[in-house]
Coordinates of all heavy atoms in Angstrom, one line a residue:
D1 N 122.1 106.0 158.8 CA 123.0 107.1 159.2 C 124.1 107.3 158.2 O 125.3 107.0 158.4 CB 123.5 107.0 160.6 CG 124.2 108.2 161.1 OD1 124.0 109.3 160.5 OD2 124.9 108.1 162.1
V2 N 123.7 107.8 157.0 CA 124.7 108.0 155.9 C 125.1 109.5 156.0 O 124.2 110.4 156.0 CB 124.1 107.7 154.5 CG1 125.1 108.0 153.4 CG2 123.6 106.2 154.5
R3 N 126.4 109.8 156.0 CA 126.8 111.1 156.1 C 127.7 111.4 154.9 O 128.5 110.5 154.4 CB 127.7 111.4 157.3 CG 126.9 111.2 158.6 CD 126.2 112.5 159.1 NE 125.4 112.2 160.2 CZ 125.7 112.4 161.5 NH1 126.9 112.7 161.8 NH2 124.9 112.1 162.4
V4 N 127.7 112.6 154.3 CA 128.5 113.0 153.2 C 129.3 114.2 153.6 O 128.7 115.2 154.2 CB 127.7 113.3 152.0 CG1 128.5 113.7 150.8 CG2 126.8 112.1 151.6
I5 N 130.6 114.2 153.4 CA 131.4 115.4 153.7 C 132.1 115.8 152.4 O 132.8 115.0 151.8 CB 132.5 115.1 154.8 CG1 131.8 114.5 156.0 CG2 133.3 116.3 155.1 CD1 132.9 114.0 157.0
D6 N 131.9 117.0 152.0 CA 132.6 117.6 150.9 C 134.0 118.1 151.4 O 134.1 119.0 152.2 CB 131.8 118.8 150.3 CG 132.5 119.5 149.2 OD1 133.7 119.3 148.9 OD2 131.8 120.3 148.5
I7 N 135.0 117.4 150.9 CA 136.4 117.7 151.4 C 137.2 118.4 150.2 O 138.4 118.5 150.4 CB 137.1 116.5 152.0 CG1 137.2 115.4 150.9 CG2 136.4 116.0 153.2 CD1 138.2 114.3 151.3
S8 N 136.5 118.7 149.2 CA 137.2 119.2 148.0 C 138.1 120.5 148.2 O 139.1 120.7 147.5 CB 136.2 119.5 146.8 OG 135.3 120.5 147.2
E9 N 137.7 121.3 149.2 CA 138.4 122.5 149.4 C 139.5 122.4 150.5 O 140.2 123.3 150.7 CB 137.4 123.6 149.8 CG 136.5 124.0 148.6 CD 135.5 125.1 149.0 OE1 135.7 125.8 150.0 OE2 134.6 125.3 148.2
I10 N 139.5 121.2 151.1 CA 140.5 121.1 152.2 C 141.5 119.9 152.0 O 142.4 119.7 152.8 CB 139.8 120.9 153.6 CG1 138.9 119.7 153.6 CG2 139.1 122.2 153.9 CD1 138.4 119.4 155.0
S11 N 141.3 119.1 150.9 CA 142.1 118.0 150.7 C 142.2 117.7 149.2 O 141.2 118.0 148.4 CB 141.6 116.8 151.4 OG 142.4 115.7 151.2
V12 N 143.3 117.1 148.8 CA 143.4 116.7 147.4 C 143.1 115.2 147.2 O 143.2 114.7 146.0 CB 144.8 117.0 146.8 CG1 145.1 118.5 146.8 CG2 145.9 116.3 147.6
I13 N 142.9 114.5 148.3 CA 142.7 113.0 148.1 C 141.4 112.6 147.5 O 141.2 111.6 146.9 CB 142.8 112.3 149.5 CG1 141.8 112.7 150.5 CG2 144.2 112.4 150.0 CD1 141.8 111.9 151.8
A14 N 140.3 113.5 147.6 CA 139.0 113.2 147.0 C 138.2 114.4 147.1 O 138.6 115.4 147.8 CB 138.3 112.0 147.8
D15 N 137.0 114.4 146.5 CA 136.0 115.5 146.6 C 135.0 115.2 147.8 O 134.6 116.2 148.5 CB 135.3 115.7 145.3 CG 136.1 116.3 144.2 OD1 137.2 116.9 144.6 OD2 135.8 116.1 143.1
Y16 N 134.7 114.0 148.0 CA 133.7 113.6 149.0 C 134.1 112.4 149.7 O 134.7 111.4 149.2 CB 132.3 113.3 148.3 CG 131.7 114.5 147.7 CD1 131.8 114.7 146.3 CD2 130.9 115.4 148.4 CE1 131.2 115.8 145.7 CE2 130.3 116.4 147.8 CZ 130.4 116.6 146.4 OH 129.8 117.7 145.8
F17 N 133.7 112.4 151.0 CA 133.6 111.2 151.8 C 132.2 110.8 152.0 O 131.3 111.7 152.3 CB 134.2 111.4 153.2 CG 135.7 111.4 153.3 CD1 136.3 111.8 154.5 CD2 136.5 110.9 152.4 CE1 137.7 111.8 154.7 CE2 137.9 110.8 152.5 CZ 138.5 111.3 153.7
V18 N 131.9 109.5 151.8 CA 130.6 109.0 152.2 C 130.8 108.0 153.3 O 131.6 107.1 153.2 CB 129.9 108.3 151.0 CG1 128.6 107.7 151.4 CG2 129.7 109.2 149.8
I19 N 130.1 108.2 154.5 CA 130.4 107.5 155.7 C 129.1 106.8 156.1 O 128.0 107.5 156.2 CB 130.9 108.4 156.8 CG1 132.2 109.1 156.3 CG2 131.2 107.6 158.1 CD1 132.7 110.2 157.2
A20 N 129.2 105.5 156.5 CA 128.0 104.8 156.9 C 128.4 103.7 157.9 O 129.6 103.3 157.8 CB 127.2 104.3 155.8
D21 N 127.5 103.2 158.6 CA 127.8 102.0 159.5 C 126.8 100.9 159.3 O 125.7 101.1 158.9 CB 128.0 102.4 161.0 CG 126.8 103.1 161.6 OD1 125.8 102.3 161.8 OD2 126.8 104.3 161.8
A22 N 127.3 99.7 159.7 CA 126.5 98.5 159.5 C 126.1 97.9 160.9 O 126.9 98.0 161.8 CB 127.2 97.5 158.7
A23 N 125.0 97.3 161.0 CA 124.6 96.7 162.2 C 125.3 95.3 162.5 O 125.5 94.9 163.6 CB 123.1 96.4 162.2
N24 N 125.7 94.7 161.4 CA 126.4 93.4 161.5 C 127.3 93.1 160.2 O 127.2 93.9 159.3 CB 125.4 92.3 161.7 CG 124.3 92.2 160.6 OD1 124.7 92.1 159.5 ND2 123.1 92.3 161.0
S25 N 128.0 92.1 160.2 CA 128.9 91.8 159.1 C 128.2 91.5 157.8 O 128.6 91.8 156.7 CB 129.9 90.6 159.5 OG 129.1 89.5 159.8
N26 N 127.0 90.9 157.9 CA 126.2 90.6 156.7 C 125.8 91.9 156.1 O 125.8 92.0 154.8 CB 125.0 89.7 157.0 CG 125.4 88.3 157.4 OD1 126.4 87.8 157.0 ND2 124.5 87.6 158.1
Q27 N 125.3 92.9 156.9 CA 124.9 94.1 156.3 C 126.1 94.9 155.7 O 126.0 95.5 154.7 CB 124.2 95.0 157.4 CG 123.7 96.3 156.8 CD 123.0 97.2 157.8 OE1 123.3 97.2 158.9 NE2 122.1 98.1 157.3
L28 N 127.3 94.8 156.4 CA 128.5 95.4 155.9 C 128.8 94.9 154.5 O 129.1 95.7 153.6 CB 129.6 95.2 156.8 CG 131.0 95.9 156.5 CD1 130.8 97.4 156.5 CD2 132.1 95.4 157.4
Q29 N 128.7 93.6 154.3 CA 129.0 93.0 153.0 C 128.0 93.4 152.0 O 128.3 93.8 150.8 CB 129.0 91.4 153.1 CG 129.4 90.8 151.8 CD 130.8 91.0 151.4 OE1 131.7 90.9 152.2 NE2 131.0 91.4 150.1
A30 N 126.7 93.5 152.4 CA 125.6 93.9 151.4 C 125.9 95.4 151.0 O 125.6 95.7 149.9 CB 124.3 93.7 152.1
M31 N 126.3 96.2 152.0 CA 126.6 97.6 151.7 C 127.7 97.7 150.7 O 127.6 98.5 149.7 CB 126.9 98.4 153.0 CG 125.7 98.5 153.9 SD 126.1 98.9 155.6 CE 127.0 100.4 155.4

């Protein structure tokens, strides 16, 4: 479940957010 949000027109902090979640701490580290 990887999501991408283009925030370039509503914020100056970045152009994109990439959002994902991990099933466990090992997967989080691997990601």
